[in-house]
Amino acid sequence: MLFKISGKHTEVPESVKSYAEEKTAKLPKFYDVINQIEVVVDGKDGSKEAGNIAVEIIARAERKKIFVVKEIGNDVYACIDLATHKLEQQLRKTKTKERDIKKHRTS
C-alpha cells in the first residue's frame, strides 16, 4: 500500500507523519482493496482561532473507488483520529453493501 503525506501552508513534522501512517495503516482491514492513502494537512493562514488546521484523508481503492474525509480543528492529532474514524465508517458501509449485493445475486 502506498502512503503519502503532504502539507499545505505548513510543514508537517516527522512525529505527525509517523502518527498518520500508524493510524491509516489499519484502514485496509476494513476494506482490503485499498492501494493508496494520501493525507493532506492544511495549516490555514490567519490567527489561532477555532478550526485552524484541516486534515484530509484520501483513500484510493481498486476499480477507481475514491473515499475522501475532511476534518477541521485545532489539534492535528485529534483531526487525524476523527478523520480516520469517519473513513473507517465509510469503508465498513461500502464493504457491507458490496457483500449484501453478492449475497442477493447468488440467492
Side-chain angles (χ1 to χ4, degrees):
M1 179 179 71
L2 181 64
F3 176 80
K4 292 191 324 187
I5 185 164
S6 60
K8 288 184 181 177
H9 309 252
T10 187
E11 290 293 321
V12 182
E14 193 61 41
S15 60
V16 173
K17 289 180 184 180
S18 62
Y19 185 76
E21 188 168 8
E22 175 188 324
K23 285 293 190 174
T24 56
K26 300 173 186 173
L27 293 175
K29 177 174 76 172
F30 300 102
Y31 194 67
D32 55 349
V33 293
I34 292 177
N35 52 23
Q36 180 182 357
I37 295 177
E38 181 179 354
V39 178
V40 179
V41 179
D42 187 2
K44 297 180 181 176
D45 295 331
S47 64
K48 288 277 187 186
E49 30 183 81
N52 198 28
I53 295 173
V55 173
E56 185 176 42
I57 301 176
I58 304 164
R60 300 179 200 284
E62 292 176 2
R63 293 176 294 233
K64 297 185 181 182
K65 290 190 178 180
I66 300 174
F67 302 92
V68 180
V69 174
K70 189 170 187 177
E71 189 62 42
I72 299 172
N74 285 329
D75 183 24
V76 69
Y77 296 102
C79 288
I80 290 171
D81 284 340
L82 292 171
T84 305
H85 181 69
K86 285 182 182 179
L87 191 54
E88 286 173 7
Q89 290 176 333
Q90 279 188 19
L91 297 174
R92 275 192 193 119
K93 185 176 179 182
T94 302
K95 188 171 184 175
T96 303
K97 280 184 177 182
E98 287 180 1
R99 192 178 313 137
D100 289 347
I101 289 171
K102 285 182 180 180
K103 189 176 183 181
H104 290 294
R105 282 186 193 163
T106 59
S107 302

